[in-house]
Amino acid sequence: MNGGTLRTFLSPAMKRCYEVVGEWLKSAGMSVTIDAAGNLRGVRPGNDPGKRVLLMGSHLDTVRDAGAFDGILGVVLAIAITENFNGQPLPFDIEVIGFSDEEGVRFMPFIGSRALAGSLDEQTLNIIAPAIRDFGLDPARIPEVALTTSACCFLEFHIEQGPVLDDAGEPVGIVESIAGQSRANVEFIGSANHAGTTPMHLRRDALTAAAEWISVVEHTARATPHLVATIGKIDARPGVGNVIPGEVKMSLDVRHADDDVRQWAFEGMRRAAAEIAHQRGLNLLWTDALSMKTVRMDEALTALVAAAAPKGTRRMVSGAGHDAMILAPHIPSAMLFLRSPGGISHHPAESVLPEDVDLALSIGHRFIESMRKS
Ligand code: HGY
Ligand code: MN
Ligand code: MN
């Protein structure tokens, strides 16, 4: 739809992506596997038997109506950087990973990287296991996906997905931390009724309640510096023009680099929803869907990226979530952003500039050279 991309967890589109990207991994001299969590993995062995493994990559899945670069650019850059070392011995393995699901469109976010982190809970495993089996993989082997001790660090290249670099006219940025996020599924439950015969004071309209709550959410975010809050999904039932909506289901996504501010705002939005439901004689069903703290990137590894980047490259906070935030508590992780022209992302118009991709390739090359010497 709208010329955008949709590639969800273990979907036919993802299978096609594995075929194409798998060929690229092979032509870069890597051995290719798909692990039990659906991560596409390419390994280029080093020449040191006690070897460390440098992980590089990002996610292969997308949101709905996505652009062409969110996630997959990081995988392709990792392949190209690795390929540029062909024929040159390195004292460590390089493993390029295309994570199976970071966006969570089909089920929930971060499935692939959480499998590496060993943090897929029982409930999640039960939800995703049938899809894994349908794809011909064995969910019982997910424990084998977990990081091994030889994994020394993780580097993720990713588009910024925001306006900062583009507004500043800068090609790349170094991520210092990734903002925490709280997500919930919120449902107002009233009563459907006839649109023509039900007087306004006798209604239990779930959509007008949702409208009142949405304006509270927006007001809170606008009034709190650096807080962002989004209601991306709304579904009013029965969804017929001459029936008062009896049920409204919404998604809520709240983010801030300061965990206390994020949690304060999220709790305030939950209280406001309960208050509005109470005042209007409705029921509220609030289900927390995700709570992730802000995660700092590894300072030493980030310093290596900075040394490989142009002097004075901007340091920044990522408002978007990334697989690096899942791995960072387990292995040193670092991220490099590429400029998003127009600050556009999660949209078919998402783009990158060839010269910025060139620069990212040379930064990646210099980073690996410095790893070689360390
Ligand atoms: O929503 C995010 O932050 C990311 O694009 N998954
Ligand atoms: Mn995304
Ligand atoms: Mn992404």
Side-chain angles (χ1 to χ4, degrees):
M1 204 165 77
N2 311 331
T5 297
L6 175 61
R7 200 167 43 241
T8 54
F9 182 64
L10 299 183
S11 60
M14 185 62 89
K15 187 165 189 300
R16 181 74 191 111
C17 179
Y18 289 160
E19 288 158 5
V20 173
V21 179
E23 281 311 310
W24 294 343
L25 286 164
K26 279 186 200 137
S27 59
M30 289 185 253
S31 56
V32 181
T33 55
I34 299 173
D35 69 26
N39 298 312
L40 180 67
R41 305 179 74 157
V43 177
R44 178 203 193 264
N47 64 346
D48 170 356
K51 56 199 162 194
R52 300 171 289 169
V53 183
L54 162 62
L55 303 182
M56 291 196 289
S58 191
H59 59 98
L60 291 172
D61 69 307
T62 70
V63 292
R64 191 168 293 114
D65 283 354
F69 300 95
D70 176 7
I72 194 163
L73 174 72
V75 180
V76 174
L77 279 170
I79 296 172
I81 290 164
T82 306
E83 195 163 25
N84 283 342
F85 280 93
N86 274 358
Q88 298 178 48
L90 289 173
F92 47 82
D93 289 6
I94 294 179
E95 180 166 10
V96 174
I97 304 184
F99 292 110
S100 54
D101 187 309
E102 186 267 357
E103 302 288 4
V105 171
R106 183 174 179 187
F107 294 117
M108 68 289 288
F110 302 114
I111 294 175
S113 45
R114 285 168 62 204
L116 262 79
S119 58
L120 283 176
D121 53 84
E122 205 59 34
Q123 188 192 11
T124 299
L125 287 167
N126 292 336
I127 292 167
I128 65 177
I132 293 176
R133 277 189 214 97
D134 290 350
F135 196 81
L137 300 167
D138 178 2
R141 300 191 60 181
I142 281 185
E144 297 168 29
V145 173
L147 286 167
T148 59
T149 48
S150 52
C152 70
C153 50
F154 174 63
L155 176 59
E156 182 169 8
F157 293 84
H158 202 288
I159 49 174
E160 177 205 338
Q161 302 186 283
V164 171
L165 292 174
D166 192 44
D167 287 354
E170 295 166 13
V172 293
I174 291 168
V175 179
E176 289 203 311
S177 63
I178 302 174
Q181 38 183 298
S182 300
R183 298 189 195 180
N185 297 313
V186 182
E187 187 175 356
F188 282 100
I189 303 159
S191 334
N193 209 330
H194 196 295
T197 57
T198 313
M200 293 309 282
H201 70 286
L202 295 182
R203 294 181 176 207
R204 297 179 67 239
D205 185 334
L207 190 49
T208 49
E212 184 183 347
W213 179 66
I214 291 170
S215 58
V216 169
V217 167
E218 184 188 39
H219 174 76
T220 307
R222 282 183 181 278
T224 313
H226 310 301
L227 181 76
V228 286
T230 312
I231 286 141
K233 271 191 298 194
I234 184 164
D235 179 31
R237 299 282 163 152
V240 175
N242 59 351
V243 180
I244 300 163
E247 283 172 26
V248 171
K249 291 184 180 173
M250 292 168 280
S251 63
L252 174 65
D253 179 315
V254 179
R255 308 200 193 183
H256 196 284
D258 179 327
D259 290 330
D260 294 339
V261 173
R262 170 177 54 86
Q263 280 154 354
W264 161 82
F266 190 68
E267 277 315 309
M269 291 168 188
R270 185 202 310 262
R271 276 198 310 277
E275 185 51 34
I276 289 165
H278 175 70
Q279 278 169 4
R280 290 167 171 262
L282 275 67
N283 293 315
L284 173 70
L285 201 51
W286 180 288
T287 315
D288 288 343
L290 183 76
S291 175
M292 296 179 73
K293 291 185 182 310
T294 292
V295 173
R296 287 194 63 78
M297 295 294 99
D298 178 80
E299 281 184 21
L301 198 68
T302 300
L304 277 185
V305 177
K311 213 162 174 48
T313 296
R314 176 186 297 265
R315 303 274 184 128
M316 45 203 301
V317 174
S318 172
H322 298 288
D323 291 303
M325 76 195 298
I326 301 295
L327 296 186
H330 303 272
I331 53 170
S333 299
M335 282 196 81
L336 184 83
F337 271 169
L338 283 81
R339 166 172 29 192
S340 288
I344 296 172
S345 182
H346 281 185
H347 187 281
E350 183 181 275
S351 67
V352 283
L353 299 176
E355 58 271 27
D356 296 351
V357 172
D358 253 352
L359 176 58
L361 286 170
S362 56
I363 292 171
H365 193 90
R366 283 195 290 272
F367 171 84
I368 288 184
E369 287 287 11
S370 63
M371 282 256 325
R372 201 184 208 165
K373 294 173 193 130
S374 64

